[in-house]
Amino acid sequence: MAGPETPPENEVPEGAGLADHPLTARRLEKVTRLRAEGVEPYPLGYERDAAAADLHDRYQGLEADTRTGVEVRVAGRLMNTRRLGRLIFGVLQDHSGRIQLFAEAGGLGRDRLAGFADLDQGDWIWARGEVMTTRRGELSVHLADFALLAKGLRPLPAKWHGLKDTEVRFRRRELDLLVNPEARRIAQVRAGVVSELRRQFEERGFVEVETPVLQVQAGGALARPFETYHNALGLPMYLRIATELHLKRLVVGGMERVFELGRVFRNEGIDASHNPEFTTLEAYQALADYHDIMRLMEEVIPAVAERVIGATRLAYRDRPLDLRPPYRRVPMLELVSEALGAAITPSTPVGELRALVGAAGLEADPDWGFGKLVEEVFDERVEQHLWEPTFVIDHPIDISPLARRHRSVEGLVERFELYIAGAEYVDAFTELNDPLDQRARFEAQAAARAAGDQTAHPVDEGFLQALELGMPPTGGLGIGVDRLVMLLTGQRNLREVVLFPHLRPE
């Protein structure tokens, strides 16, 4: 009896029709034969009462060659089989892990054993049998019955190769999850991070809300939006680039602690730490400022790490990293001054700063102002060196149009970004709640937009009218969820933690 084939990786070309290749044609013929024999290859009505991981936990340490007398029903994907004389061993993979199946004529009968041998790698099956250990001590289910639940018409990548091609892994994530345990681990950690972030904020009295993805004006961040069109309203619209402005309108409406976990979209570049579609958690707390939000982050970040991976001290990129508070606090201009070898203050003339930037070997657009020049130096010469958790505080006002003016330093705002392992994880402000100041900044942004800056803010009259009702002093934050998952799973590429990253079509 022929066992399941395990073809070399990518032997069946992508997009090939089922009848166009011998491997898939053979499986298609099996479907036809099974139906002719009265067997439905995609049936319903089978239940399981045990998962692979639960069986391993329950029977850990069971002696070799032991029969338990306990019958279970399992279901999952048949990853491979091997024949040893009159015995057939299979590996069943479910959502929790793998368990061995032990098949022989004494348990199944000869005809049913032949049917089991006729299964292919990748078939979904149900199995019933006694929990036992083999003579070698392998925990197994001794089959008394089985059923095909879903015939796999395309073969999986060969088990001894795994799935190594990064392009194929990201494009065919279902294959990646099937054959790579690490991909499944990352997906599970991501789910845990999202769940724990939600719990942390709910426990502190924040209410989760949902705000529009389609917007007439895309605001709340300096970014280029994706454009679309609303046929029923006859309006051009945009995918949101942030949830900030709608959330602050809710604070105005009396919801004093709100947060949203959701996707935002920015029509910008793709690299190891950026994807045009990504997940953020934004939260706003009335009667708070950026100092309160820093303390909040020192509580939430280590709590999520402890709950999800069981540790706040970890190794990332082969370097130790400690997420326990307190986190360092350092002004942005202090770090930029160190990088340039000259003291930079908000009163430093733009021409002098531009000359220092050029002398440092950095290119600067002639239209850039003070804040953009500072940001360029920080991005190119500072950011990657901030390894331990660091709050970079007090940013220039012209790159922070939604943040409140600094209470004691002219030209700066009360803003921080949290950097860990050379990347930004949190952006937070003492929110600007002066509607006159906000209108003036929106108008300055609109002028920059008219001059060609497609990332600048438009004037959002709806938001301004909300501020004119009066918004209490408020602290706000945005957490990059994808990057936090990268950190806690030890990944260097954002695409590893996004289940379906954007790729150019084949």
Side-chain angles (χ1 to χ4, degrees):
M1 287 173 284
E5 79 283 3
T6 50
E9 187 177 28
N10 298 330
E11 185 170 333
V12 178
E14 290 289 321
L18 294 176
D20 297 336
H21 193 280
L23 290 175
T24 51
R26 187 172 76 84
R27 293 182 177 220
L28 193 60
E29 289 169 1
K30 287 186 179 182
V31 169
T32 302
R33 173 168 53 81
L34 286 169
R35 284 183 169 146
E37 295 170 354
V39 178
E40 173 52 50
Y42 302 96
L44 297 173
Y46 289 85
E47 296 183 358
R48 65 180 167 198
D49 56 22
D54 295 336
L55 292 176
H56 283 287
D57 289 342
R58 197 185 316 169
Y59 296 102
Q60 185 177 16
L62 193 65
E63 292 184 2
D65 201 17
T66 299
R67 306 291 289 263
T68 66
V70 176
E71 186 175 85
V72 296
R73 292 166 175 81
V74 293
R77 195 178 295 274
L78 187 63
M79 298 306 291
N80 59 65
T81 61
R82 61 186 175 88
R83 189 147 198 164
L84 187 62
R86 298 179 181 180
L87 308 177
I88 301 176
F89 297 92
V91 175
L92 185 81
Q93 178 174 293
D94 65 15
H95 66 283
S96 69
R98 294 184 172 190
I99 188 74
Q100 179 169 274
L101 304 180
F102 174 71
E104 45 91 23
L108 283 174
R110 289 188 176 183
D111 290 344
R112 295 290 285 151
L113 184 64
F116 186 76
D118 195 44
L119 294 171
D120 288 304
Q121 180 194 42
D123 287 350
W124 256 87
I125 67 169
W126 170 91
R128 174 175 61 84
E130 180 186 2
V131 179
M132 57 166 286
T133 52
T134 64
R135 292 178 180 178
R136 294 186 176 184
E138 181 73 22
L139 187 67
S140 307
V141 175
H142 182 214
L143 294 191
D145 195 11
F146 76 94
L148 176 66
L149 299 183
K151 184 67 185 173
L153 298 182
R154 291 188 182 273
L156 303 181
K159 65 177 182 178
W160 54 83
H161 285 291
L163 189 61
K164 305 296 186 183
D165 188 305
T166 301
E167 180 80 7
V168 174
R169 287 181 51 241
F170 295 158
R171 195 177 298 281
R172 299 291 308 279
R173 186 63 90 179
E174 66 278 8
L175 281 179
D176 187 27
L177 292 167
L178 278 174
V179 301
N180 289 331
E182 177 66 3
R184 296 194 296 275
R185 183 188 74 86
I186 292 170
Q188 290 165 353
V189 170
R190 182 187 181 95
V193 168
V194 170
S195 177
E196 185 59 21
L197 281 171
R198 178 175 281 117
R199 191 178 75 87
Q200 289 290 325
F201 280 86
E202 287 177 341
E203 285 186 348
R204 290 169 171 81
F206 287 81
V207 176
E208 184 173 8
V209 297
E210 294 177 309
T211 61
V213 173
L214 286 175
Q215 301 181 353
V216 176
Q217 291 179 307
L222 300 177
R224 183 175 181 177
F226 286 93
E227 301 178 20
T228 186
Y229 190 82
H230 196 304
N231 290 327
L233 297 178
L235 287 175
M237 299 193 79
Y238 304 91
L239 299 184
R240 67 186 182 192
I241 58 175
T243 57
E244 177 168 346
L245 301 187
H246 283 89
L247 291 175
K248 288 199 281 193
R249 288 169 68 173
L250 297 179
V251 175
V252 171
M255 300 183 72
E256 295 186 1
R257 294 191 179 201
V258 293
F259 78 97
E260 181 168 9
L261 257 166
R263 294 287 207 184
V264 296
F265 309 85
R266 299 182 184 178
N267 198 357
E268 298 173 342
I270 300 174
D271 60 30
S273 59
H274 294 87
N275 196 54
E277 177 184 358
F278 58 99
T279 302
T280 65
L281 184 151
E282 285 204 40
Y284 293 85
Q285 178 179 337
L287 307 181
D289 62 16
Y290 75 147
H291 294 293
D292 297 308
I293 303 302
M294 281 186 255
R295 287 190 288 271
L296 176 63
M297 289 298 91
E298 287 180 321
E299 296 172 2
V300 168
I301 298 295
V304 170
E306 184 66 46
R307 185 66 174 261
V308 176
I309 65 170
T312 54
R313 287 185 285 187
L314 57 145
Y316 184 65
R317 299 188 180 183
D318 301 320
R319 290 182 60 182
L321 183 63
D322 192 343
L323 299 180
R324 294 174 301 172
Y327 297 167
R328 178 190 180 200
R329 290 160 168 76
V330 58
M332 176 178 267
L333 292 187
E334 180 180 317
L335 293 169
V336 170
S337 296
E338 291 174 1
L340 292 177
I344 304 300
T345 71
S347 60
T348 300
V350 172
E352 180 180 329
L353 178 56
R354 182 173 288 109
L356 288 169
V357 171
L362 299 174
E363 294 185 7
D365 190 298
D367 295 329
W368 286 354
F370 179 84
K372 183 58 181 160
L373 290 167
V374 167
E375 187 176 53
E376 179 70 10
V377 176
F378 180 85
D379 290 348
E380 295 298 323
R381 297 296 167 85
V382 178
E383 175 179 335
Q384 64 268 30
H385 301 298
L386 300 176
W387 188 258
E388 294 299 330
T390 302
F391 292 122
V392 178
I393 65 173
D394 303 342
H395 295 219
I397 191 171
D398 52 332
I399 56 170
S400 310
L402 296 167
R404 184 186 181 96
R405 293 177 185 271
H406 199 282
R407 66 194 72 185
S408 59
V409 183
E410 187 66 29
L412 302 181
V413 295
E414 295 192 351
R415 174 185 179 186
F416 76 79
E417 292 173 309
L418 173 59
Y419 284 85
I420 306 173
E424 176 198 344
Y425 287 79
V426 180
D427 193 4
F429 313 148
T430 301
E431 300 296 334
L432 175 56
N433 65 338
D434 179 343
L436 301 179
D437 190 357
Q438 185 65 82
R439 181 175 291 277
R441 293 204 221 169
F442 272 169
E443 289 173 351
Q445 287 284 307
R449 190 178 185 87
D453 185 352
Q454 294 181 309
T455 69
H457 275 277
V459 176
D460 189 326
E461 287 292 343
F463 176 65
L464 288 171
Q465 289 176 21
L467 277 190
E468 289 164 0
L469 290 172
M471 186 177 81
T474 298
L477 65 99
I479 301 173
V481 175
D482 305 306
R483 291 187 182 178
L484 185 55
V485 177
M486 285 176 64
L487 183 73
L488 298 183
T489 56
Q491 301 304 309
R492 298 182 180 224
N493 193 320
L494 188 112
R495 293 183 182 186
E496 294 286 358
V497 305
V498 176
L499 284 175
F500 296 98
H502 291 281
L503 299 168
R504 192 180 301 279
E506 291 181 302

